[in-house]
Amino acid sequence: MKDTYLLADIGNTTIDLALYDGVKIEKVKIPNQDQKKIEEQLSLWGEENIQNCVVSSVNQEGSENLIITLNQIGLPFEIITPKRMTDFANRNGYTITNTSYLGTDLFCDIIADDAAPQIIIDLGTVGKILYLDRDKIFHGCSIFPGIRRIPGMLEQSADMLDNYDLAKNPPLVSLKTEECISSGAINGIACLVSSMRRQRVCPVSP
C-alpha cells in the first residue's frame, strides 16, 4: 500500500479514523479512552504502510491516547493548528477570520466539500449548523446539544426523568415518557435544523 494517509477526527465521544490511499477511504469509530483499540486498528491497517497522519481534535483525552500510540509506532503526524488553518484558507480562497480560536472540527466541516454556498449540518456529540456563502466567506455557526445528549441532560435536571434510550421515528406527541423525550430530541432537532435553513441568516440562493 503506497501513499496512504491516516486522518483522525477526535471528537468528544469517539475518535473517527479514516485510512485514505488516494482512491478509497476506510473508516472506523473508536471510543476516546480505548487506546488498545486504537493500537489494534492501526495494526490491522498495517501502520508500516501509512505515510503520515493528520489530526483534528476537540478532546484532550482522545488526543493524548492517539498521540501516545502514534509515537509508540513511530508514525509521523501533523496536528491542525490555527496557522495551518489560515494557510489552507488563504491558498484555497476561503475567508475565515476566526482561525485563532476556531475549533478544528468546524474547520474540517467548512473545507470538506469545495462547493459554495453551503449550509453544513454536523450532528455529533454537539450539534452545529455552519454557513459558508457563495464567495467562500465563513459567517459562523449555531451550536446546540447533540441529539443523544438530550436524555442525559434532562435526567440531570429533572428528578422524575431517566436517561432513556432514544426511540426510532418517534411520534410528534405521545403519552409515553420515553417517546416524549425521543420526540423532543429527534423531532425537535429536525425542526431546529429545518427552521434555521429557512432563516435569512443562511441565504444560500444567489
Side-chain angles (χ1 to χ4, degrees):
M1 192 180 297
K2 296 182 179 180
D3 297 326
T4 300
Y5 297 88
L6 180 67
L7 311 175
D9 178 13
I10 305 171
N12 289 298
T13 306
T14 62
I15 298 176
D16 291 4
L17 295 178
L19 192 70
Y20 179 60
D21 65 2
V23 178
K24 66 180 185 299
I25 294 180
E26 296 181 49
K27 296 184 288 185
V28 66
K29 286 182 178 288
I30 297 173
N32 278 353
Q33 69 276 12
D34 198 340
Q35 187 175 345
K36 182 175 176 58
K37 183 65 175 177
I38 298 171
E39 296 171 358
E40 292 174 348
Q41 186 61 48
L42 294 183
S43 177
L44 178 65
W45 277 338
E47 63 262 24
E48 69 277 2
N49 297 313
I50 301 173
Q51 308 301 311
N52 197 6
C53 176
V54 178
V55 180
S56 165
S57 177
V58 296
N59 183 273
Q60 187 65 34
E61 180 184 14
S63 292
E64 291 174 354
N65 287 333
L66 178 64
I67 290 172
I68 288 171
T69 303
L70 295 177
N71 284 328
Q72 286 176 344
I73 65 178
L75 179 60
F77 61 90
E78 299 176 13
I79 297 175
I80 298 177
T81 63
K83 183 179 187 307
R84 286 195 170 102
M85 289 191 286
T86 300
D87 291 345
F88 183 94
N90 291 339
R91 288 197 310 269
N92 292 275
Y94 291 90
T95 300
I96 306 175
T97 59
N98 63 333
T99 52
S100 63
Y101 57 88
L102 179 68
T104 57
D105 56 337
L106 298 179
F107 178 75
C108 291
D109 282 338
I110 296 166
I111 67 168
D113 188 333
D114 197 37
Q118 285 193 78
I119 292 175
I120 304 149
I121 313 297
D122 181 347
L123 298 179
T125 303
V126 176
K128 284 90 71 178
I129 303 175
L130 303 86
Y131 174 51
L132 184 74
D133 74 16
R134 58 184 170 183
D135 296 316
K136 299 174 77 171
I137 299 172
F138 176 56
H139 288 261
C141 75
S142 172
I143 296 178
F144 48 92
I147 292 173
R148 294 190 179 277
R149 293 292 179 179
I150 291 175
M153 294 169 61
L154 293 175
E155 180 191 34
Q156 292 177 6
S157 57
D159 289 341
M160 302 293 289
L161 296 179
D162 293 327
N163 188 359
Y164 295 104
D165 292 333
L166 293 177
K168 293 184 178 179
N169 302 315
L172 287 177
V173 294
S174 173
L175 296 175
K176 298 178 181 178
T177 303
E178 300 95 320
E179 290 184 345
C180 295
I181 292 175
S182 295
S183 177
I186 296 173
N187 296 323
I189 294 297
C191 290
L192 182 154
V193 171
S194 178
S195 178
M196 290 286 285
R197 164 63 181 84
R198 293 195 300 269
Q199 297 305 308
R200 294 184 63 186
V201 70
C202 295
V204 296
S205 300

